[in-house]
Amino acid sequence: MDIQLKRGLLDVCVLAAIKDGESYGYKIIKDMAPYIKLSESTLYTILKRLEGAKMLTVRSAEHDGRLRKYYRITDAGLERIEEFRKEWNEIVSIYRFVTKEDGND
């Protein structure tokens, strides 16, 4: 899969994983596991990128004697999910075109 396309899809998946409330790294990976496999290193790269884009906020808090980062989606992150929903129709149309050309319609 094209790396840029995959990056955009994973960004939206991570945003969707935290859209209903604050979460932390391990829980995000666990919540996404039934749908997509994601390594910790990939997740934290995505989280840092989304924080830089102001699509999520982060706070640190102690949990069982360790510092844990909690992530919360912002309005910009919610807007990105909504944009993705609108873009999805175009992605499906492209897929249908490509598979039709292969005779797999």
Side-chain angles (χ1 to χ4, degrees):
M1 176 180 286
D2 176 72
I3 191 71
Q4 294 300 325
L5 176 59
K6 188 173 184 178
R7 177 184 288 173
L9 292 173
L10 290 176
D11 286 1
V12 173
C13 289
V14 170
L15 290 169
I18 63 172
K19 74 177 172 52
D20 293 327
E22 192 173 67
S23 194
Y24 55 93
Y26 177 76
K27 185 171 183 328
I28 295 168
I29 289 173
K30 186 176 156 190
D31 290 346
M32 291 177 65
Y35 308 99
I36 192 166
K37 286 197 176 247
L38 194 64
S39 70
E40 283 185 47
S41 61
T42 299
L43 173 64
Y44 288 109
T45 299
I46 292 168
L47 290 169
K48 188 172 271 300
R49 181 172 54 247
L50 293 172
E51 181 184 6
K54 308 237 186 284
M55 291 188 198
L56 59 82
T57 59
V58 62
R59 73 173 180 89
S60 296
E62 190 174 321
H63 177 79
D64 291 337
R66 297 179 57 188
L67 204 56
R68 178 184 280 173
K69 288 185 176 183
Y70 291 89
Y71 301 90
R72 180 178 297 277
I73 197 165
T74 64
D75 288 342
L78 291 170
E79 287 173 19
R80 178 61 193 114
I81 291 173
E82 190 55 37
E83 288 170 7
F84 173 78
R85 287 183 176 142
K86 292 174 184 174
E87 293 166 352
W88 184 248
N89 291 329
E90 184 177 357
I91 293 169
V92 170
S93 293
I94 292 168
Y95 172 80
R96 286 185 180 146
F97 174 75
V98 170
T99 58
K100 181 178 180 186
E101 291 296 312
D102 290 342
N104 294 324
D105 192 35

